[in-house]
Amino acid sequence: MTFRGTLVCLCLLFLTGWSFAQEIKSLQSGKNTSIRGLSVVDNSVAWASGSNGYVANTKNGGKTWIWKQLPGYEKFDFRDIEAFSAQEAIIMSAGSPAVILKTTDGGLSWEEVYRNESPDIFLDGMDFWDRRRGIVYGDPIKGQMQLLRTKDGGKSWEDISANLQESLADGEASFAASGTAIRTASKGQVWIATGGSKSRIFFSDDYAKSWNFFPIPILQGNNSSGPFSIAFLDTQTGIAAGGDYLKDTLRRNNLVLTRDGGFSWFEPDVHPFGYRSAVEYLNKNVVIATGTSGTDISYDGGKTWKNISKEGFNAVRKAKQGNWVLLAGSKGRISVFRINKE
């Protein structure tokens, strides 16, 4: 069922003398799927993926969406998606068996390009450096984080887990909450956040050949807490959001900032208003974060936060090329976020 034009939240902020109207409008709702995978190509094209084998895409800025429940994958949970155009996209499932599928015809057909039947496999997220080179990561097996890399646009995947020689601690893993606990930058950099019993940032600047790791001082210590999402404005300026999803209104230590590429972190002056599973830079000043208990905005690079809606989502992404911002969540909800200067 489509609810175009439904205003979820409209509020006014006064910042540097300007009045800003923020709105979140529902574009889609009512599908039996929880969307966690979201990829926005430009101001017209976007893709989403979720539980029960569902994938959706739009080519006209969200006016209409094409939904498909993939035959044979009705019980799969597609936690992440990477789209390159209206025709080409890659989806990744969490849980066992783990699969990666690719389409080159706008989602009409999908080719399975990777499968892992291990009962211990659990993929968490993926990102791409460019159209050909990408990386997928997953929870540890016998202490070793699982890493896959492609050099041919996702047609084939190589297991490079041995490149990361640091073992994860007992109870240390990651969260497949929005596909954004992994981020890449164009010159071979990649950051991966782990949580649970121990929270760290794993970093590589040579396309995942060699790795460093740093502690991240965010809420941690149990299997429901840690950093659930990271974002980087550039190779030095970044942000990590999370908390404890079982205590989703807890505001303590749920977001931290870095100015040195993840080596060190500091807390904001005003925290987000609860657990947040996704965070995204809209520009150098404006940052949005969302989670099950609501959606927040920062106009100073993440230093202070204001709640703009009690409606929560799983994921939020900005267009790779453009300014379109989408949010997605449970029951097939897809919404658009706008800021209008009045």
Side-chain angles (χ1 to χ4, degrees):
M1 182 167 52
T2 302
F3 298 92
R4 289 195 52 79
T6 301
L7 183 62
V8 177
C9 174
L10 179 64
C11 53
L12 296 178
L13 285 179
F14 294 89
L15 183 69
T16 61
W18 291 101
S19 174
F20 288 86
Q22 303 151 149
E23 60 179 1
I24 299 174
K25 288 184 178 180
S26 177
L27 301 177
Q28 288 282 293
S29 184
K31 287 288 184 182
N32 183 27
T33 182
S34 178
I35 300 173
R36 295 184 182 274
L38 186 59
S39 186
V40 186
V41 178
D42 52 34
N43 289 340
S44 298
V45 176
W47 294 71
S49 64
S51 59
N52 298 322
Y54 275 101
V55 181
N57 68 84
T58 180
K59 302 176 184 178
N60 56 12
K63 294 177 182 178
T64 58
W65 291 80
I66 300 171
W67 288 87
K68 187 170 185 178
Q69 188 178 30
L70 303 191
Y73 298 94
E74 292 87 352
K75 295 183 179 180
F76 282 70
D77 193 351
F78 293 117
R79 293 287 183 96
D80 203 1
I81 187 167
E82 184 76 21
F84 303 103
S85 68
Q87 300 299 313
E88 186 178 0
I90 297 170
I91 54 176
M92 177 215 80
S93 73
S96 179
V99 296
I100 301 173
L101 290 83
K102 180 173 181 174
T103 183
T104 57
D105 59 8
L108 296 177
S109 63
W110 293 82
E111 178 187 2
E112 187 177 295
V113 294
Y114 174 84
R115 175 178 283 259
N116 190 322
E117 300 278 357
S118 168
D120 299 320
I121 193 71
F122 193 100
L123 301 180
D124 294 303
M126 67 177 166
D127 207 356
F128 277 70
W129 292 285
D130 53 45
R131 197 158 183 151
R132 295 188 62 80
R133 291 177 289 189
I135 182 170
V136 167
Y137 83 104
D139 285 352
I141 296 177
K142 296 182 179 178
Q144 185 175 67
M145 182 187 293
Q146 300 301 292
L147 296 170
L148 305 171
R149 185 175 61 195
T150 182
K151 297 180 180 179
D152 57 11
K155 294 178 183 178
S156 63
W157 294 86
E158 173 192 9
D159 188 335
I160 60 165
S161 303
N163 288 1
L164 203 167
Q165 299 179 8
E166 172 70 9
S167 295
L168 272 65
D170 289 343
E172 180 185 8
S174 192
F175 298 102
S178 62
T180 56
I182 181 172
R183 296 281 189 162
T184 59
S186 61
K187 294 185 178 180
Q189 299 93 342
V190 57
W191 295 262
I192 295 174
T194 62
S197 64
K198 187 176 185 177
S199 292
R200 290 187 283 182
I201 294 291
F202 289 83
F203 172 72
S204 172
D205 61 2
D206 57 6
Y207 296 97
K209 295 176 184 176
S210 61
W211 294 83
N212 291 315
F213 50 91
F214 318 108
I216 181 169
I218 201 168
L219 189 67
Q220 58 194 274
N222 57 62
N223 60 12
S224 60
S225 63
F228 284 70
S229 178
I230 55 177
F232 281 84
L233 181 66
D234 51 48
T235 58
Q236 298 299 305
T237 307
I239 193 166
D244 188 333
Y245 72 82
L246 295 180
K247 302 175 181 177
D248 67 355
T249 60
L250 184 67
R251 296 184 64 187
R252 178 176 61 85
N253 203 19
N254 62 351
L255 183 141
V256 288
L257 303 151
T258 183
R259 295 292 181 265
D260 56 15
F263 179 78
S264 63
W265 299 81
F266 60 94
E267 292 194 39
D269 296 329
V270 177
H271 284 80
F273 285 67
Y275 153 76
R276 297 296 177 251
S277 58
V279 63
E280 185 86 330
Y281 281 98
L282 306 190
N283 57 46
K284 68 178 182 179
N285 295 315
V286 183
V287 193
I288 187 171
T290 193
T292 52
S293 62
T295 302
D296 306 323
I297 196 81
S298 171
Y299 283 97
D300 54 12
K303 295 177 183 178
T304 60
W305 291 84
K306 180 180 179 64
N307 182 252
I308 57 172
S309 176
K310 296 301 181 183
E311 183 179 15
F313 298 85
N314 296 326
V316 57
R317 298 303 297 262
K318 179 181 178 291
K320 298 176 184 179
Q321 298 178 342
N323 54 16
W324 200 24
V325 180
L326 295 182
L327 303 102
S330 60
K331 299 180 181 179
R333 290 178 298 131
I334 302 174
S335 297
V336 61
F337 173 79
R338 296 189 184 97
I339 300 174
N340 302 308
K341 187 166 66 174
E342 296 192 335

